[in-house]
Amino acid sequence: MFLKGAPRPPRNLVAAITGITVVPLAVLLWLGWRLLDQDRLLENQRAQERLERAADLAASALQRLVSGSEQRVTVSGNEWPAGAVALTFGRDRMEADPPGRLAYLPVAPTLPEPPPSAFAAGEELEFRRHDRDGAIAVYRQLAKSPDAAVRAGALLRLARNLKSDGRTEEALTNYAELSRMDGVAVAGTPMGLIAEYARCEIYAESGRGVELRREADKLAGGLGVGRWPLTNAAYWLYAQDAAKWTGGESHGPLPSEIFAAAAAELWNRRTRMTPSGREALTIEGRKLAAIWQTERDSLRVLLATPEFVETQWLAPARQPGTNIALATASLTLERRALRGTADTGLPWPIAVTYADPTAPDAEFVLRRRLLVAGFGLLALMALAASYLIFRAVNRELAVARLQSDFVAAVSHEFRTPLTTIRQFTDMLRNNRNLAEERRRLCYDAQARATDRLIRLVESLLDFGRMEAGARTFRFERSDCSELVRQTVDEFRRDASSAKYEIEVQAESAAETEVDIEALARAVWNLLENAVKYSPEQRSVAVGVERCNGCVRIAVRDYGIGIPADERSAIFARFRRGEEARKLGIKGTGIGLAMVDQIVRAHQGRIELESELGRGSTFTIVLPVKEPQWHES
Ligand code: ADP
């Protein structure tokens, strides 16, 4: 950006421009950041409010759903989906609906039992006389009885004797038949269970692993779905063996066991319970919801697992775009609205969250992007504006400096001839008897100095007129070769060219439209530079030639040359080369600017070839055209 030789920007200007750019930019960024922060807070607040509204709606929907279930529990014959069971507590018995969801009951119903007297004859043979075959025959007969209880009792005794007799397969068949007779019991234990258990025992004793496994699975399955009405103690007695036989993969408590334990707990405190209520139970670490209502003289209870709560109550209460879940105490960063048991009617608090946690932020993200882009643009504009201001101010400063340099240089240029005139005038005045020859020398020196002054003044005036656009060019058809020859001749007479060899090679006729005076000045300026910047190699070559539709006037020297990075800058006004300054060669920096102006007025161009330390060639290229009057 800065030309060689041009003044560098002052430090305080750089600091000032940086200050007026950086400070507002920093303030702008800070404000932007604050704005974004506020916006984020506001957006968070809005998102939370929306969630709270959704939670309110969900809570009232839940109230309705739970009350609906509460109403339903008072009516029997409902189809309760998995995860729930309805209990009816009577005075001394309890019923479950559906029945298979409880592994055991707080009070087991009494099943009919066969009268012991029916088997007196068989038992006489079996135990007193040890006549097993006789006993088997009696029992076989009884097993055909139309009375189911008698039939069951006979089958049990028959199978027992067959087993003791080593007739395992027959015993198994009889137990299999007995296992289908769930409605009869012996000492409170259902026949079916006794038979299933006995089959397992036979397989276990005879080491028949595969069959044992199959039978034990059946036994465990029956126990798990509450096939037999058992008490807590009886259930666990059989369940433990069944688990042992099935291979005993330890799993957590079955849902039916949890329900059974909950039913037992509520049964124990049924007399102390309020007529209606809702409660969260924890059975072996599992949660259950209990809702109860008193209906005439019975208490109706609904037990529900969290899965039931989620599918039957929470899912229908869900508001669009949100999720509801039972609230856990775990720390969560998610946005959520909590509702307690008082709001929902559920025994657990719930948490309402956004189905897509990023959704509420989408608008904010868009706004933030727009804001950031806006601020970015503003910052960019501020930077660009500062840069432009900086460049403009810097340029003005540079021109001002160049101008002051110019004034100093011009004063310097004036001083030399003025000093000469002064010296010789003093000499003439003080030495009246000076010899004629010496007097002549003094006059010659004064004349040369005056010529130089006149040329300097004329050149300055011309430059001023050209700069102001007031210089009128008068074009006339002339022979450039002749013009160049004359200018070189004149230049040879000038003091500055003394000791320089100037060779001219000019084609005879190189005619075109030119302003003679202006072109002569341009050539003069080039000649003046050629000798000025060639302190050692004292020969200059000037050539004029015609080329394709143009005339080329070249001035070649073998002097200091011009570095590549200065080659275009030196045609600007007041601009001087670095080397010229260093070597202390005097100049004002307007010579080439004038050449450039003159050549442009002729619609020509100037070419420069140069090699550092080897010299330079300036070539004026003018178009050949018909005579015309032009104004610059
Ligand atoms: P100045 O008064 O400094 O000579 P000019 O406009 O004539 O002003 O030239 C501008 C600059 O170009 C000079 O200061 C010098 O550095 C460089 N220059 C011009 N002519 C020549 C040349 N023939 N050889 C080397 N440098 C030159």
Side-chain angles (χ1 to χ4, degrees):
M1 185 171 100
F2 307 109
L3 284 166
K4 220 171 164 187
R8 299 203 69 77
R11 277 214 193 126
N12 46 5
L13 172 70
V14 178
I17 300 253
T18 312
I20 56 170
T21 313
V22 168
V23 172
L25 259 181
V27 172
L28 198 73
L29 284 179
W30 182 76
L31 282 175
W33 182 77
R34 293 280 308 154
L35 196 70
L36 273 176
D37 218 37
Q38 290 294 321
D39 194 41
R40 193 196 322 258
L41 279 178
L42 208 69
E43 190 59 43
N44 271 342
Q45 213 171 323
R46 259 193 243 137
Q48 189 61 37
E49 276 166 14
R50 283 203 296 273
L51 206 56
E52 296 291 341
R53 271 201 299 280
D56 286 341
L57 289 174
S60 48
L62 273 171
Q63 289 272 20
R64 283 196 301 279
L65 286 160
V66 178
S67 303
S69 295
E70 204 170 38
Q71 295 303 314
R72 271 178 67 198
V73 88
T74 57
V75 187
S76 49
N78 273 305
E79 293 263 311
W80 290 102
V85 64
L87 309 174
T88 308
F89 291 172
R91 199 161 299 146
D92 49 7
R93 46 178 285 155
M94 191 211 83
E95 269 168 29
D97 176 24
R101 292 206 182 145
L102 254 59
Y104 53 88
L105 302 168
V107 261
T110 350
L111 294 175
E113 302 208 7
S117 58
F119 311 107
E123 279 170 355
E124 169 74 21
L125 288 168
E126 186 184 349
F127 298 116
R128 291 262 175 84
R129 301 206 199 146
H130 302 289
D131 176 4
R132 189 166 289 141
D133 289 337
I136 287 172
V138 173
Y139 292 144
R140 231 190 255 287
Q141 202 54 42
L142 283 170
K144 290 175 187 153
S145 161
D147 183 343
V150 173
R151 203 163 61 239
L155 278 172
L156 180 69
R157 288 169 175 82
L158 178 61
R160 184 174 69 208
N161 279 286
L162 288 168
K163 184 188 163 197
S164 306
D165 206 25
R167 291 150 73 179
T168 317
E169 287 311 315
E170 275 183 77
L172 282 170
T173 319
N174 280 294
Y175 276 133
E177 197 183 336
L178 185 63
S179 73
R180 289 189 285 275
M181 305 182 77
D182 283 343
V184 191
V186 172
T189 310
M191 283 291 188
L193 173 61
I194 294 173
E196 291 282 5
Y197 186 82
R199 278 171 67 84
C200 289
E201 264 186 331
I202 293 173
Y203 287 131
E205 281 161 15
S206 51
R208 290 159 70 177
V210 180
E211 285 103 330
L212 172 63
R213 183 81 189 244
R214 194 190 59 226
E215 259 342 277
D217 279 345
K218 230 162 100 188
L219 175 65
L223 285 166
V225 300
R227 180 176 148 192
W228 302 289
L230 297 174
T231 58
N232 186 356
Y235 172 81
W236 286 114
L237 195 72
Y238 289 101
Q240 267 165 14
D241 281 347
K244 187 178 75 195
W245 288 325
T246 50
E249 274 163 37
S250 73
H251 51 74
L254 297 171
S256 56
E257 289 169 356
I258 305 276
F259 276 145
E265 188 184 319
L266 292 174
W267 175 262
N268 289 340
R269 54 185 169 95
R270 67 190 185 285
T271 47
R272 301 189 301 276
M273 279 161 73
T274 50
S276 70
R278 293 170 186 182
E279 194 178 315
L281 301 173
T282 306
I283 309 288
E284 296 191 36
R286 308 294 165 97
K287 289 175 175 178
L288 279 183
I291 301 177
W292 65 88
Q293 282 279 341
T294 312
E295 179 72 14
R296 286 195 214 96
D297 54 351
S298 65
L299 190 71
R300 305 266 193 159
V301 183
L302 178 71
L303 290 178
T305 58
E307 293 75 40
F308 174 91
V309 172
E310 267 167 28
T311 55
Q312 302 299 315
W313 293 337
L314 298 188
R318 182 178 301 136
Q319 301 300 307
T322 60
N323 274 341
I324 313 179
L326 297 177
T328 48
S330 67
L331 262 181
T332 171
L333 294 174
E334 227 184 332
R335 223 181 251 128
R336 59 185 199 163
L338 292 172
R339 287 295 175 274
T341 51
D343 304 311
T344 59
L346 277 180
W348 303 296
I350 57 154
V352 177
T353 53
Y354 277 108
D356 173 10
T358 59
D361 295 327
E363 224 175 282
F364 167 70
V365 168
L366 185 76
R367 243 194 339 266
R368 184 176 55 189
R369 264 193 213 139
L370 284 175
L371 256 164
V372 168
F375 277 118
L377 203 72
L378 259 173
L380 220 72
M381 277 165 65
L383 279 175
S386 306
Y387 171 71
L388 290 177
I389 292 171
F390 173 73
R391 225 173 61 156
V393 172
N394 191 46
R395 266 197 190 164
E396 287 307 310
L397 278 176
V399 169
R401 278 173 174 228
L402 284 173
Q403 269 169 342
S404 79
D405 283 359
F406 168 72
V407 171
V410 168
S411 314
H412 225 79
E413 290 277 305
F414 271 96
R415 189 184 250 160
T416 319
L418 282 174
T419 314
T420 312
I421 293 171
R422 175 86 184 259
Q423 272 175 355
F424 286 102
T425 311
D426 283 352
M427 196 183 280
L428 287 170
R429 200 171 49 197
N430 298 337
N431 301 303
R432 290 182 183 276
N433 305 328
L434 211 60
E436 185 58 27
E437 197 183 335
R438 297 210 56 184
R439 198 176 280 271
R440 170 133 245 109
L441 281 174
C442 285
Y443 289 141
D444 282 351
Q446 276 178 327
R448 275 198 306 274
T450 316
D451 277 354
R452 185 154 177 211
L453 273 178
I454 289 170
R455 217 182 327 273
L456 208 62
V457 171
E458 269 175 6
S459 133
L460 285 173
L461 286 174
D462 241 19
F463 174 72
R465 275 199 294 273
M466 279 183 206
E467 280 292 294
R471 167 73 157 85
T472 313
F473 288 87
R474 232 185 81 230
F475 292 94
E476 57 191 281
R477 197 160 184 84
S478 329
D479 179 7
C480 292
S481 300
E482 189 50 40
L483 186 147
V484 168
R485 255 189 238 108
Q486 276 176 12
T487 313
V488 171
D489 280 347
E490 207 176 314
F491 186 69
R492 277 192 189 116
R493 285 197 293 278
D494 191 77
S496 56
S497 69
K499 299 184 201 152
Y500 279 82
E501 183 120 347
I502 305 168
E503 186 196 329
V504 183
Q505 271 194 347
E507 276 182 15
S508 50
E511 284 194 1
T512 185
E513 291 279 305
V514 293
D515 179 316
I516 298 170
E517 198 190 320
L519 191 61
R521 175 174 295 287
V523 175
W524 181 282
N525 283 1
L526 292 181
L527 286 168
E528 209 173 31
N529 279 351
V531 301
K532 207 158 69 169
Y533 297 109
S534 305
E536 277 155 23
Q537 292 292 327
R538 296 178 173 238
S539 60
V540 175
V542 183
V544 182
E545 58 178 12
R546 285 198 66 147
C547 61
N548 216 359
C550 65
V551 174
R552 296 173 66 89
I553 305 168
V555 178
R556 168 149 185 66
D557 66 61
Y558 302 92
I560 59 173
I562 302 160
D565 59 345
E566 282 184 357
R567 278 178 208 161
S568 60
I570 51 172
F571 290 96
R573 59 200 173 135
F574 314 135
R575 200 55 57 77
R576 303 210 60 219
E578 197 67 21
E579 195 62 17
R581 283 169 193 275
K582 267 195 219 151
L583 293 175
I585 301 172
K586 279 189 222 146
T588 53
I590 59 169
L592 287 181
M594 278 174 86
V595 175
D596 190 53
Q597 292 254 27
I598 293 164
V599 172
R600 270 174 209 261
H602 285 77
Q603 282 155 7
R605 64 176 192 276
I606 183 143
E607 292 173 357
L608 167 60
E609 279 170 55
S610 186
E611 205 177 331
L612 217 53
R614 291 274 175 100
S616 322
T617 308
F618 285 88
T619 311
I620 295 173
V621 185
L622 300 177
V624 174
K625 50 184 177 175
E626 291 308 307
Q628 267 175 2
W629 287 95
H630 283 272
E631 291 231 340
S632 71

